[in-house]
């Protein structure tokens, strides 16, 4: 077999894993694919004859590429910043499996978690993602961030504290999540403020990304105060149930065109986060064919 073909086949064996790493690092499907492509280019021009673990080598390369991309976003400094936009959602049908998208999420990375990751410094994010999500040892992470293993461990620990404090564990039962979301929709259509309040966790966070900036509303009373907005959405739009980043969600259309995507985080039968993407430019770039036909 030709050496280039053999190398390409070995790379393809790792592509799904590399896309998962890059998506968690970048929160963007398009940028994740760009990072994986860059890893292939680097592999193609590198002598890897002495590389014993190609998967580990490629993971390290993708990590470096993603770190450079993140630093480009936050070129002023590496202090944690509030996320300015929602990450790209990954949408699948509740009834039609999509192995490629499901593999991208693997253990289900909800939008709420990705939003928290967006607020980490690039080095914190890389250390946390590679160690906590993909079990890469700190000795391999340290050279990527140009730190010692002890410092890499500290970076991951800092990120872990922020993640654990900001993202309650969602209900793993998708059917149970859907029941809560359906009840939310029924309350929205009926303008039932009290029922909306009952369904919302006291610390619920609503994030609405319309393109220019992300609006954030915190607390059950404040989110319930958007009842009229929810009612208009529920009555004017055609609502398509979907799985958004592993959780119950909605794809809403108006006159046949994508209007918004909503991801819900449900924990203990209450909604802890609502993430709404209504940026028309980004909506047109998402693959919604499995939901809209």
């Amino acid at each position: 077999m030709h050496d280039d073909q053999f190398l390409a086949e070995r790379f393809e064996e790792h592509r799904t894993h590399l896309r998962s790493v890059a998506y968690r690092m970048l929160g963007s499907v398009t940028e994740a694919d760009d990072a994986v492509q860059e890893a292939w280019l680097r592999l193609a021009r590198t002598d890897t004859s002495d590389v014993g673990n190609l998967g580990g080598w490629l993971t390290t390369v993708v990590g470096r590429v993603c770190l450079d991309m993140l630093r480009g976003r936050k070129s002023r400094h590496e202090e944690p910043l509030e996320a300015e936009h929602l990450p790209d959602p990954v949408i699948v049908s509740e009834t039609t499996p999509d192995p490629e998208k499901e593999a991208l999420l693997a253990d289900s990375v909800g939008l709420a978690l990705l939003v928290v990751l967006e607020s980490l410094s690039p080095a914190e994010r890389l250390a946390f993602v590679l160690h906590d999500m993909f079990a890469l040892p700190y000795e391999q992470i340290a050279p990527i961030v140009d730190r010692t293993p002890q410092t890499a461990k500290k970076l991951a620990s800092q990120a872990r504290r922020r993640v654990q404090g900001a993202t309650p564990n969602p209900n793993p039962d998708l059917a149970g999540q859907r029941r809560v979301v359906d009840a939310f929709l029924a309350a929205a259509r009926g303008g039932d403020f009290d029922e909306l309040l009952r369904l919302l966790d006291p610390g619920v966070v609503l994030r609405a990304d319309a393109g220019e900036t992300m609006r954030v509303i915190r607390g059950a009373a404040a989110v319930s105060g958007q009842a009229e907005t929810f009612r208009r959405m529920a009555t004017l739009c055609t609502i398509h149930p979907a799985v958004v980043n592993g959780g119950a969600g909605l794809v809403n259309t108006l006159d046949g065109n994508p209007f918004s995507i909503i991801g819900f985080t449900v924990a203990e039968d209450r909604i802890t986060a609502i993430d709404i993407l209504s940026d028309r430019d980004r909506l047109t770039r998402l693959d919604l064919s499995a939901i809209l036909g």
Side-chain angles (χ1 to χ4, degrees):
M1 183 182 294
H2 195 278
D3 286 347
D4 289 345
Q5 182 181 349
F6 176 68
L7 193 63
E9 289 180 358
R10 291 192 68 197
F11 180 80
E12 287 302 319
E13 293 172 2
H14 299 285
R15 180 182 291 275
T16 297
H17 166 76
L18 298 176
R19 287 186 79 224
S20 296
V21 171
Y23 176 64
R24 286 157 176 75
M25 283 291 299
L26 300 169
S28 165
V29 176
T30 302
E31 289 185 358
D33 287 337
D34 290 343
V36 172
Q37 181 62 21
E38 176 62 24
W40 161 247
L41 294 175
R42 294 189 186 187
L43 173 64
R45 59 177 180 255
T46 302
D47 180 6
T48 57
S49 57
D50 59 345
V51 174
N53 179 0
L54 183 62
W57 186 89
L58 287 169
T59 300
T60 299
V61 171
V62 165
R64 287 198 178 100
V65 172
C66 291
L67 186 63
D68 289 343
M69 294 170 78
L70 288 174
R71 284 174 171 164
R73 292 181 189 172
K74 302 180 179 182
S75 56
R76 290 172 295 176
H77 47 66
E78 283 197 8
E79 292 300 314
L81 301 172
E82 291 296 326
E84 296 180 355
H85 294 285
L86 285 176
D88 285 351
V90 176
I91 303 111
V92 298
S93 167
E94 287 190 323
T95 57
T96 306
D98 187 330
E100 184 175 337
K101 288 183 178 179
E102 289 167 1
L104 177 63
L105 291 174
D107 295 326
S108 250
V109 181
L111 283 177
L113 173 57
L114 284 173
V115 169
V116 177
L117 294 182
E118 289 285 326
S119 71
L120 302 176
S121 75
E124 285 175 334
R125 185 168 185 169
L126 181 136
F128 175 77
V129 167
L130 291 185
H131 182 269
D132 284 41
M133 294 185 174
F134 295 98
L136 211 67
Y138 292 119
E139 288 75 17
Q140 285 183 247
I141 296 170
I144 306 175
V145 293
D146 196 24
R147 312 282 173 88
T148 65
Q150 291 77 15
T151 303
K153 183 177 182 179
K154 183 179 179 181
L155 288 168
S157 178
Q158 291 169 179
R160 194 178 303 119
R161 285 196 298 271
R162 296 189 65 190
V163 168
Q164 290 174 344
T167 55
N169 292 327
N171 179 359
D173 176 17
L174 187 59
Q177 293 182 39
R178 179 58 62 191
R179 285 193 293 272
V180 174
V181 171
D182 287 345
F184 176 87
L185 283 176
R189 288 192 182 96
D192 189 339
F193 180 88
D194 291 337
E195 178 66 0
L196 286 174
L197 195 61
R198 185 189 71 80
L199 291 166
L200 297 172
D201 184 84
V204 65
V205 180
L206 183 149
R207 290 172 285 255
D209 183 350
E212 293 185 2
T213 187
M214 184 164 69
R215 183 184 181 198
V216 180
I217 301 174
R218 300 179 187 276
V223 173
S224 295
Q226 304 299 306
E228 178 58 23
T229 300
F230 296 139
R231 188 193 67 79
R232 287 200 306 270
M233 181 275 295
T235 54
L236 295 177
C237 290
T238 301
I239 296 174
H240 309 264
V243 179
V244 178
N245 279 66
L250 306 170
V251 175
N252 304 313
T253 58
L254 189 61
D255 299 327
N257 299 310
F259 179 78
S260 65
I261 292 168
I262 306 181
F264 293 86
T265 304
V266 178
E268 297 182 355
D269 294 327
R270 285 193 169 186
I271 296 170
T272 61
I274 303 173
D275 294 294
I276 306 173
L277 178 63
S278 57
D279 181 345
R280 292 187 179 182
D281 289 340
R282 291 179 65 192
L283 288 175
T284 59
R285 295 198 294 268
L286 295 174
D287 179 11
L288 303 175
S289 57
I291 310 300
L292 305 182

